[in-house]
Amino acid sequence: MRIVALETLRPAFQKNLCVVVLHTEDGQVGLGDAFMQSAAVEAYLHDHVAPLLVGQEHPSPEAVSQLLAPYVGFQGGGVEVRGNGAVDIALWDLLGRHTGLPVARLLGGPVRAEIPVYNTCAGPDYIQDTSRQTSANWGAVEGRYEDLTAFLNTPGALAKELRAEGLRGMKVWPFDHAAEASGGTRITPAEMDRALAVVREIRDAVGMDLDLMVELHGLWSRQAAVEICHALEPLQPFWVEDPVRPDAVDALGALCDEVGVPIATGETALGRRGFLPMLGQGRISYCTVDVQWTGGLTEARKVATLADTFAVPVAPHDCTGPITLAACFHLTMAQPNALVQETVRAFLRTWYPRVVEGLPEIRNGLARLNDSPGLGLTLTADLRTDPGTRCRVTELTTVKGRS
Ligand SMILES: [Mg+2]
């Protein structure tokens, strides 16, 4: 299983995505993806990772994660971590293909046959252009599966539509405009009313028949976040997500003590060391680790197990690419404390299938894996041939001292 080339593909239709393909001597490929600042990740992978990785015989994910550990850029999910996370996911995929086993089995599972999913109400173009979490990066406002527009304007109808599809949960972020207006420092009564109306309308439409996740994107200061959480308490959200930045650990702990809603956090937290201070306080209710942003499956499963030690379920983050989502499903099938998997129907039905085939089928709000080796994915033929896709390859012959 000697690695002979590292290839990256950056599609024009999603500028934040960098697909990583590891090629082996015997013609196998392992797939991974990195999301946000794809050009910087691409440069890092070819300049730094390929010279270390290409030419390696039987590279194990654990050994490579040690090999690639950077001296700087390892906190907070920097370019290095996202690149390493994509490589790690590709190595698990390769290992599965090499052994003929699904990654969920390599991880010691499965412990379940299916996992519930919830829908994050983004549109197809959400986070398309830049890596910033602002309304300027929310994408188009009209079209099929524009669930962001729908939750802002017709939240009750959207909730009914999702429930009719069999989904058991939905996530919305009606407070973000108010956070932008004040830099997260305060929310006016009028802004609070407007945002709460979205949540109220969902509850009026479907009652408690749908789990409701309210996303705050870590945009708020503590006092404003506390006020929002208090206002949400009567509407019984399943969780409030990232009320403040997850690295504002003391503020998060104080907030969790003050409010009467469950708190989920962690998609931008990094690794065991990033999660331990939050889990150690015994206050967060759900761990929303991002399998790629936290450094790959090798680290994510340790985070999930650490969360289990503190009796906290994991609910992995999506929005970071279809290959990462597949890795999430393999993790949740193998992880005893997995609760639910985030998905975005607008991505699953538009650009995710333009990258790969073979993602798990979701029926009645439940995802089920098949027995395909590795992650079970195949790159679409169109991705390489699309003239808008930027392809770059570092081969064994070009890596100094390794040919
Ligand atoms: Mg989130």
Side-chain angles (χ1 to χ4, degrees), residues 32-72:
D33 51 14
F35 196 80
M36 295 286 196
Q37 298 290 352
S38 62
V41 174
E42 176 198 77
Y44 165 72
L45 288 170
H46 290 282
D47 294 349
H48 178 75
V49 172
L52 293 169
L53 185 64
V54 176
Q56 292 263 349
E57 292 272 4
H58 301 294
S60 73
E62 196 74 60
V64 171
S65 79
Q66 287 182 301
L67 178 73
L68 300 182
Y71 185 56
V72 292

Side-chain angles (χ1 to χ4, degrees), residues 224-242:
V226 165
E227 289 168 19
I228 292 168
C229 289
H230 279 320
L232 284 167
E233 283 167 15
L235 295 163
Q236 296 182 262
F238 186 80
W239 73 48
V240 175
E241 182 168 329
D242 288 328

Side-chain angles (χ1 to χ4, degrees), residues 183-186 218-227 243-244 251 255:
T185 55
R186 67 164 299 198
L219 298 173
W220 293 96
S221 55
R222 183 173 63 83
Q223 182 55 34
V226 165
E227 289 168 19
V244 294
L255 176 141

Side-chain angles (χ1 to χ4, degrees), residues 146-390:
E146 284 299 344
D147 290 344
L148 205 164
T149 304
F151 89 65
L152 288 172
N153 298 298
T154 52
L158 175 64
K160 284 181 178 170
E161 184 183 325
L162 295 172
R163 191 67 196 94
E165 281 194 13
L167 287 155
R168 291 104 193 272
M170 65 187 289
K171 186 155 78 191
V172 296
W173 42 106
F175 294 90
D176 280 22
H177 282 306
E180 287 179 9
S182 70
T185 55
R186 67 164 299 198
I187 182 162
T188 67
E191 289 167 335
M192 184 76 90
D193 279 349
R194 266 197 298 278
L196 286 175
V198 168
V199 182
R200 234 180 254 122
E201 196 175 316
I202 292 168
R203 277 283 173 254
D204 288 347
V206 293
M208 294 300 291
D209 206 21
L210 200 62
D211 292 337
L212 180 52
M213 289 78 163
V214 179
E215 168 73 84
L216 299 182
H217 282 133
L219 298 173
W220 293 96
S221 55
R222 183 173 63 83
Q223 182 55 34
V226 165
E227 289 168 19
I228 292 168
C229 289
H230 279 320
L232 284 167
E233 283 167 15
L235 295 163
Q236 296 182 262
F238 186 80
W239 73 48
V240 175
E241 182 168 329
D242 288 328
V244 294
R245 290 170 55 125
D247 59 351
V249 176
D250 292 336
L252 185 66
L255 176 141
C256 292
D257 280 346
E258 279 186 69
V259 303
V261 289
I263 299 298
T265 197
E267 72 188 51
T268 58
L270 192 76
R272 288 156 286 165
R273 293 172 184 84
F275 278 90
L276 182 59
M278 297 186 288
L279 292 165
Q281 292 191 353
R283 288 162 177 162
I284 67 165
S285 302
Y286 302 103
C287 166
T288 54
V289 63
D290 185 291
V291 167
Q292 171 208 126
W293 285 349
T294 212
L297 271 169
T298 299
E299 188 65 26
R301 70 173 180 151
K302 293 173 186 171
V303 168
T305 297
L306 183 69
D308 198 25
T309 311
F310 289 94
V312 171
V314 289
H317 178 232
D318 182 26
C319 291
T320 51
I323 303 165
T324 298
L325 178 61
C328 289
F329 281 121
H330 284 268
L331 178 67
T332 54
M333 294 301 172
Q335 195 65 32
N337 61 325
L339 167 75
V340 66
Q341 175 60 52
E342 179 175 15
T343 56
V344 186
R345 69 172 186 165
F347 292 177
L348 283 167
R349 295 171 193 182
T350 61
W351 70 268
Y352 274 16
R354 296 181 70 184
V355 180
V356 290
E357 294 161 5
L359 278 166
E361 199 176 338
I362 297 170
R363 273 196 199 158
N364 200 27
L366 297 166
R368 181 178 277 268
L369 286 178
N370 59 33
D371 289 329
S372 300
L375 296 173
L377 303 176
T378 312
L379 279 186
T380 62
D382 290 348
L383 188 66
R384 267 204 195 84
T385 56
D386 185 334
T389 300
R390 180 189 154 94

